[in-house]
Amino acid sequence: MKSAADEPSFPKRDSWPEVVDPQVRAAFAAVPRAAFVAAELRNHAADDAPLPIGQGQTISQPYVVALMVQALALQSGEKVLEIGTGSGYETAILSTLTAVAGRPPGHNIYAVERLPRLAQQAEAALHALGYAPHLRIGDGAAGWPEEAPFSAMIVSAAAAHVPHPLWVQLAEGGRMVLPVGADVENQEIWLLRKQAGAMQIKRLGGVRFVPLISPLLDDPGNWAEG
């Protein structure tokens, strides 16, 4: 009988020509996506498509995750904040890319999920594979202020505006990648860089993500301006 780790991983041969970073490609090939989906969906784990994970949420299309992660240009040991842990699959990719010899992979990853059931499932899947990120149940738009600053951030839900608390928690010279757009039909990925406190924006293309839900975003005072 195959285990989750035996299932096909990404990327497949000759796929994802835009994903040129060999470390990113190696991380996606090493992390078993099947370990982060329900047993009845594992036959579809190698599909380059989103899959349901419960609570009205999905595990994102691997290709989109790869583009977002590649844009961060992560280095070993960097402190990373992830908003929207979901299944934990992306958390495992981040943990793999920033691993440090002699430390458990994920020791420098801080992940926030608002739905307790998903957070518990993600934690179990990650620990079963030997990953040890820091996980928190809470409001993603608020970030993790007591652990700031972060060298890199990735947000896996879309908002009409960049959350100001996250921008404040990004280190000088840091990078943040997130989907932006209130209308699901008009979302795009932004790569933000903090240079001398100013926001530099690079647009990476259109996407479709679930919304970032937070009462903080109802207040324009919590919107960061580009």
Side-chain angles (χ1 to χ4, degrees):
M1 179 180 295
K2 287 186 176 182
S3 68
D6 296 321
E7 297 297 332
S9 295
F10 293 92
K12 296 179 180 178
R13 186 184 301 274
D14 299 325
S15 66
W16 301 0
E18 298 86 355
V19 181
V20 297
D21 187 325
Q23 292 183 318
V24 172
R25 293 181 72 88
F28 276 81
V31 176
R33 191 175 186 235
F36 297 94
V37 299
E40 62 270 20
L41 293 174
R42 286 180 181 160
N43 287 339
H44 298 283
D47 297 347
D48 192 13
L51 295 171
I53 55 174
Q55 306 283 287
Q57 306 298 302
T58 62
I59 182 172
S60 297
Q61 179 186 3
Y63 171 69
V64 173
V65 178
L67 289 178
M68 294 174 71
V69 170
Q70 177 176 255
L72 288 175
L74 295 170
Q75 303 296 314
S76 174
E78 283 195 302
K79 194 173 187 179
V80 181
L81 177 65
E82 179 194 35
I83 304 302
T85 310
S87 69
Y89 176 62
E90 181 181 84
T91 318
I93 298 291
L94 298 172
S95 300
T96 300
L97 285 168
T98 60
V100 176
R103 301 291 303 274
H107 77 279
N108 51 323
I109 306 298
Y110 293 77
V112 182
E113 171 56 51
R114 72 180 181 89
L115 297 173
R117 182 177 174 184
L118 289 187
Q120 292 162 5
Q121 292 173 349
E123 183 176 39
L126 287 161
H127 287 180
L129 292 174
Y131 296 104
H134 305 273
L135 301 176
R136 164 181 282 184
I137 299 167
D139 185 338
W144 202 318
E146 61 269 34
E147 290 294 341
F150 297 93
S151 298
M153 296 182 182
I154 185 167
V155 183
S156 298
H161 305 275
V162 178
H164 187 260
L166 299 184
W167 178 248
V168 169
Q169 293 168 41
L170 186 65
E172 176 64 29
R175 300 89 64 207
M176 182 193 309
V177 66
L178 73 167
V180 178
D183 182 354
V184 71
E185 301 296 335
N186 291 287
Q187 296 174 359
E188 58 183 1
I189 299 173
W190 287 11
L191 170 63
L192 311 180
R193 293 182 182 273
K194 184 181 282 189
Q195 300 290 345
M199 184 186 296
Q200 298 182 350
I201 303 173
K202 181 178 181 180
R203 291 169 169 82
L204 303 180
V207 288
R208 293 170 63 96
F209 272 83
V210 297
L212 179 63
I213 297 174
S214 169
L216 293 176
L217 297 178
D218 296 334
D219 180 357
N222 287 317
W223 303 346
E225 299 296 334

